[in-house]
Amino acid sequence: MSGQSVVSLIAALALAGSCARPSALVRPESGAAAAAALDPSRIHAVLVNGGGSRSINYQSHVIHLEEVLGLLESAGVPEAQIAVFASDGEGAGKDLATRELPAEGDDGWLLDGTPLERTIGRPMEYVSTSLDGVSLRPATQASLAEWFAREGSALQAGDVVFLYVTDHGTQGSEDAGPRGNAISLWGKTEHLDVDELADLIDGLPPGVRVVALMSQCFSGGFAQLVYGDGESSPDGRVCGYFSTTDDREAYGCYAENRGDDNVGHSIRFLEGLEASGRMETAHAHAVVNDHTPDVPLRTSDEYVRELLENAAWEKDVDAVAFADELLAEAWDDPGRYESQIRIVDRVGRSFGFASPRSLAEIDTRLDQLPRVSEPLQKHSDAWHDAVRDLSRANLGRFLEERPEWEERLSAQKLAALDPEAARALGTELVAELGPATRRDRATYRRLDDLRERATTAGSASYRMSVREAALLRMQTVLIDVAAQVYLQTRASAAERDAYEALRACEDLALPLAPTVLADREPFPSYAQDIEVAKSVLPAWMGIQFKQASPDVRSKHGLQDGAVTVQRVYPSSPAEGAGIEPGDVILGPPGAHFSEPTQIREWTMLSKVDVPRRLDIVRADTSIQRTLVPGAHPGRFPDLPAPPGPGDAAPPLRLSAYRADVPSTLAGNGPHMLFFWATWCAPCKAALPELMAYSDATGVPIIAITDERPAQLDPFFEKFEDPFPKVVGMDHNRATFLSYGVSGTPTFVLVGADGVVQATSTGYSREKGLSIEGWRWGG
């Protein structure tokens, strides 16, 4: 995709209309009677942070627990009625990753992306989880089951269990579906899936209501709790609010949020709950103001979505068209749906979308958005890779010049450091590395430029992920509007009762004094992100490459940055320049590449459509080619699929190890291509049948390996069994790649006309060569 096409797509999605940001007073939904605040003595809170393991048991989880505890205290919930399950409970083990300890000084970033980043660049400090005045219970199945069996069984009708989860979550298998989604508990094998939690809830006394607030990945699967054992209709006994859908990760899985404790569904929801006292209003606040890829939803949202999908299926119509038909009826009386319209409009303003009024509009935008976000993500990845490569090269040069650091940075000594000592060592190293890097002005400018582009591209790409989530939020609200029409005009009494029961369950109110809460500042405009897209669009050459081998570099006196071309992408600038697989690219005349992957950085920073000369070695001959870099396509063009029966066999790009190797197969009679390796036991096991096939049919075999004479010579000195006469070496793996070889042995039978007749990968006596009409009796 060209830079212009990316920009045009962004413009096509841009907001039309006013971008003014009115304050949003926290209020009940229009037309809905506010629920009376619940007597806090009837609330029993169960707070869960399983953590999984200490390396991923983040301090943000404990901050969430502290927020909830403070809110419950303000509401007057008795301490004795609050149970907190956190990692290993009161165990003395250091189970909580509290903070990274970056090396002090302004140059600590020079270790990012290097092997020293995690050890001394940003070592993690671990402590034992603790909350002032709170006795922690272990976050295990047994401990939770004990609460439900003891405290839970003593509850009375009218009591409410407030179940709060801030944690990691996993997605169920395809067979299990959303009911297989699980909350991660403490320990590698500890988790709690939907069915297991439903069993615990089922043991509570009749009349006890459970209201959940969950912020883990794939938390939307727990909306299935409303169906009890999976067969029951919702009765309002269980309901909840969730950070995202059953098939999406939550905000914590995005690197952009690392170290930021003031983001995500849980923070925004609790912020809204503290200001309003109502779960319903807190949910609306999170929908509008959560600037992460979370997609907040309620149990009632999932219920009506399934209701409409089932109704559309029964009518044999498209679910989106059916919902839009209902929405068209709703807009005949828009005042009835004012609260929902206001939420959709607020989301539109917050994230830069014109406010939609149909699911078809949203689907169109959801189809378009990846055509913008995916190239931006590719660009971000490419810039970050370039920063990492240069950072490693810079650190490597620094250490080569200062051998005294080698012993201090040995793996054994680094492993023995505690976090504070690691940070001190990192600070000492950076104090020398920073000035040394700045003295190398060219390298420092390169690093600074690449880092800025990587950060800019990453931020823009992340904002596109958030905008996708915003579209899904608006979709959820519009489905709710369509469902209102369905419930009023088409639903059964049982369906209406189930919906009303869920809504009543969800409308939990706490005795908190309401305050005015304004919407957060909106995202940067699409126009600003258009400029970002232009500024971070890298140039592109269109090759796969690897560092030239030591033998090649030594033979021609080449620097470490010389690369061997493995593959040239079709219709790429490299193909237009006449660059071929096997070429060794040295770099521009007078400025050959000195670092193993410098060619990538050089290409990305080149000006699009401005010709650049490159020195190349081809078959021991020095040549020059003129490359005209193009705009990065965002994703690499689809490579030709591996040839199958009926396809033309790609040319062979091999060097001969034994006997002559043809470059083309068409017109040279049939051949059996045998992709193999000296270490491959199944390859050797296949040889008797392979040789027998050749003897019986007269089809010659070409044995193709990506190994070099240093491996082949000792192998053939000792190997005495029959072996194909023709052996070709594929040093650059160009033939392996063009034939799509995914493992050895691979057999490709090519006819006299150069067309593939059969292919097979792997070998066993039972499987054989898998050639039609051939059966070996040996």
Side-chain angles (χ1 to χ4, degrees), residues 442-465:
T443 295
Y444 193 83
R445 282 197 299 269
R446 287 166 60 197
L447 276 168
D448 194 50
D449 188 12
L450 291 172
R451 183 176 177 231
E452 181 179 355
R453 290 170 186 260
T455 301
T456 302
S459 297
S461 174
Y462 175 71
R463 288 195 294 271
M464 290 300 170
S465 298

Side-chain angles (χ1 to χ4, degrees), residues 10 32 56 79 135 211 224 228 236 297 321 344 370 429 433 448 472 528 579 636 647 649 651 742 755 764:
I10 297 176
I56 57 173
E79 289 184 13
S135 177
V211 182
Q224 296 293 316
L297 66 131
V344 171
L429 174 62
L433 177 62
D448 194 50
L472 294 173
Q528 290 171 299
I579 295 173
F636 295 118
D647 295 332
S742 59
V755 174
S764 67

Side-chain angles (χ1 to χ4, degrees), residues 284-514:
H285 178 75
V287 167
V288 175
N289 292 285
D290 178 7
H291 288 185
T292 75
D294 288 346
V295 184
L297 66 131
R298 308 164 295 189
T299 41
S300 59
D301 293 324
E302 285 299 288
Y303 173 69
V304 296
R305 184 189 297 270
E306 293 184 19
L307 203 61
L308 295 186
E309 288 177 351
N310 291 337
W313 182 81
E314 290 176 1
K315 292 169 65 69
D316 194 24
V317 297
D318 178 72
V320 171
F322 178 60
D324 280 349
E325 175 187 327
L326 297 170
L327 285 171
E329 295 179 32
W331 305 145
D332 290 337
D333 185 12
R336 182 189 292 265
Y337 309 101
E338 178 185 359
S339 63
Q340 292 97 325
I341 293 173
R342 285 184 176 179
I343 291 175
V344 171
D345 291 346
R346 286 166 60 196
V347 173
R349 284 192 294 270
S350 189
F351 298 99
F353 290 108
S355 186
R357 293 295 182 265
S358 71
L359 298 190
E361 290 177 58
I362 293 177
D363 280 356
T364 297
R365 294 177 190 176
L366 285 171
D367 288 342
Q368 290 175 327
L369 196 59
R371 297 167 63 190
V372 180
S373 60
E374 289 175 5
L376 274 174
Q377 182 60 56
K378 291 287 186 182
H379 301 164
S380 173
D381 292 344
W383 289 119
H384 278 94
D385 286 345
V387 174
R388 180 201 63 209
D389 292 344
L390 183 52
S391 295
R392 292 182 175 187
N394 179 58
L395 178 62
R397 285 193 295 267
F398 174 87
L399 295 178
E400 283 180 7
E401 296 169 1
R402 294 161 179 81
E404 68 273 11
W405 274 102
E406 290 293 335
E407 182 180 355
R408 300 182 67 187
L409 296 175
S410 69
Q412 183 178 4
K413 289 200 171 183
L414 291 178
L417 297 177
D418 62 34
E420 290 293 346
R423 185 191 191 197
L425 183 61
T427 299
E428 185 180 349
L429 174 62
V430 166
E432 294 186 34
L433 177 62
T437 304
R438 281 193 295 276
R439 284 194 294 271
D440 183 355
R441 294 182 179 180
T443 295
Y444 193 83
R445 282 197 299 269
R446 287 166 60 197
L447 276 168
D448 194 50
D449 188 12
L450 291 172
R451 183 176 177 231
E452 181 179 355
R453 290 170 186 260
T455 301
T456 302
S459 297
S461 174
Y462 175 71
R463 288 195 294 271
M464 290 300 170
S465 298
V466 177
R467 287 185 171 109
E468 180 186 46
L471 286 171
L472 294 173
R473 297 177 199 182
M474 292 192 284
Q475 181 188 74
T476 298
V477 177
L478 289 184
I479 288 174
D480 180 60
V481 174
Q484 301 306 312
V485 177
Y486 175 82
L487 290 165
Q488 295 161 19
T489 62
R490 295 163 175 81
S492 67
E495 290 171 334
R496 285 193 290 271
D497 289 345
Y499 177 76
E500 292 301 331
L502 280 178
R503 297 294 286 113
C505 176
E506 291 167 352
D507 196 13
L508 176 65
L510 300 178
L512 295 169

Side-chain angles (χ1 to χ4, degrees), residues 700-754:
I701 302 167
I702 302 175
I704 303 171
T705 179
D706 59 0
E707 296 173 293
R708 296 178 175 275
Q711 290 84 41
L712 298 176
D713 289 345
F715 172 80
F716 283 109
E717 286 175 4
K718 297 179 180 179
F719 194 78
E720 298 178 351
D721 293 337
F723 198 91
K725 295 179 180 179
V726 180
V727 178
M729 298 181 294
D730 187 17
H731 295 163
N732 300 318
R733 291 185 57 81
T735 302
F736 269 70
L737 290 169
S738 62
Y739 278 84
V741 175
S742 59
T744 55
T746 288
F747 311 95
V748 181
L749 179 61
V750 181
D753 55 357

Side-chain angles (χ1 to χ4, degrees), residues 152-396:
S153 64
L155 300 181
Q156 303 295 318
D159 286 343
V160 171
V161 174
F162 174 59
L163 175 61
Y164 175 75
V165 178
T166 173
D167 204 344
H168 298 290
T170 57
Q171 189 174 20
S173 66
E174 187 174 346
D175 291 339
R179 296 189 71 88
N181 289 14
I183 301 164
S184 299
L185 299 177
W186 185 247
K188 292 183 179 180
T189 61
E190 284 277 348
H191 67 272
L192 190 69
D193 66 26
V194 175
D195 284 325
E196 290 165 339
L197 180 55
D199 288 341
L200 294 177
I201 292 173
D202 191 53
L204 294 173
V208 175
R209 170 180 162 202
V210 178
V211 182
L213 174 58
M214 298 187 177
S215 289
Q216 76 275 16
C217 291
F218 314 111
S219 55
F222 283 82
Q224 296 293 316
L225 287 171
V226 302
Y227 300 108
D229 59 4
E231 302 295 332
S232 307
S233 295
D235 58 7
R237 187 185 179 203
V238 183
C239 60
Y241 296 82
F242 311 96
S243 61
T244 193
T245 57
D246 60 37
D247 59 351
R248 284 176 66 91
E249 294 179 330
Y251 83 95
C253 291
Y254 290 79
E256 290 78 5
N257 295 315
R258 187 177 70 178
D260 192 345
D261 297 329
N262 191 36
V263 297
H265 169 260
S266 192
I267 289 292
R268 297 284 83 82
F269 193 102
L270 296 174
E271 179 180 79
L273 185 57
E274 182 180 16
S276 69
R278 295 186 70 226
M279 299 278 282
E280 190 62 53
T281 311
H283 169 70
H285 178 75
V287 167
V288 175
N289 292 285
D290 178 7
H291 288 185
T292 75
D294 288 346
V295 184
L297 66 131
R298 308 164 295 189
T299 41
S300 59
D301 293 324
E302 285 299 288
Y303 173 69
V304 296
R305 184 189 297 270
E306 293 184 19
L307 203 61
L308 295 186
E309 288 177 351
N310 291 337
W313 182 81
E314 290 176 1
K315 292 169 65 69
D316 194 24
V317 297
D318 178 72
V320 171
F322 178 60
D324 280 349
E325 175 187 327
L326 297 170
L327 285 171
E329 295 179 32
W331 305 145
D332 290 337
D333 185 12
R336 182 189 292 265
Y337 309 101
E338 178 185 359
S339 63
Q340 292 97 325
I341 293 173
R342 285 184 176 179
I343 291 175
V344 171
D345 291 346
R346 286 166 60 196
V347 173
R349 284 192 294 270
S350 189
F351 298 99
F353 290 108
S355 186
R357 293 295 182 265
S358 71
L359 298 190
E361 290 177 58
I362 293 177
D363 280 356
T364 297
R365 294 177 190 176
L366 285 171
D367 288 342
Q368 290 175 327
L369 196 59
R371 297 167 63 190
V372 180
S373 60
E374 289 175 5
L376 274 174
Q377 182 60 56
K378 291 287 186 182
H379 301 164
S380 173
D381 292 344
W383 289 119
H384 278 94
D385 286 345
V387 174
R388 180 201 63 209
D389 292 344
L390 183 52
S391 295
R392 292 182 175 187
N394 179 58
L395 178 62

Side-chain angles (χ1 to χ4, degrees), residues 104-124:
E104 293 180 345
D106 296 333
D107 297 320
W109 62 273
L110 292 171
L111 295 180
D112 290 350
T114 72
L116 298 178
E117 177 183 2
R118 304 312 302 175
T119 53
I120 64 173
R122 296 180 181 273
M124 186 68 73

Side-chain angles (χ1 to χ4, degrees), residues 38-45 72 75 77-78 81-82 158-162 508-511:
L38 188 67
D39 178 354
S41 68
R42 306 305 301 273
I43 297 175
H44 298 258
L72 293 174
V77 177
Q81 294 175 194
I82 302 174
D159 286 343
V160 171
V161 174
F162 174 59
L508 176 65
L510 300 178

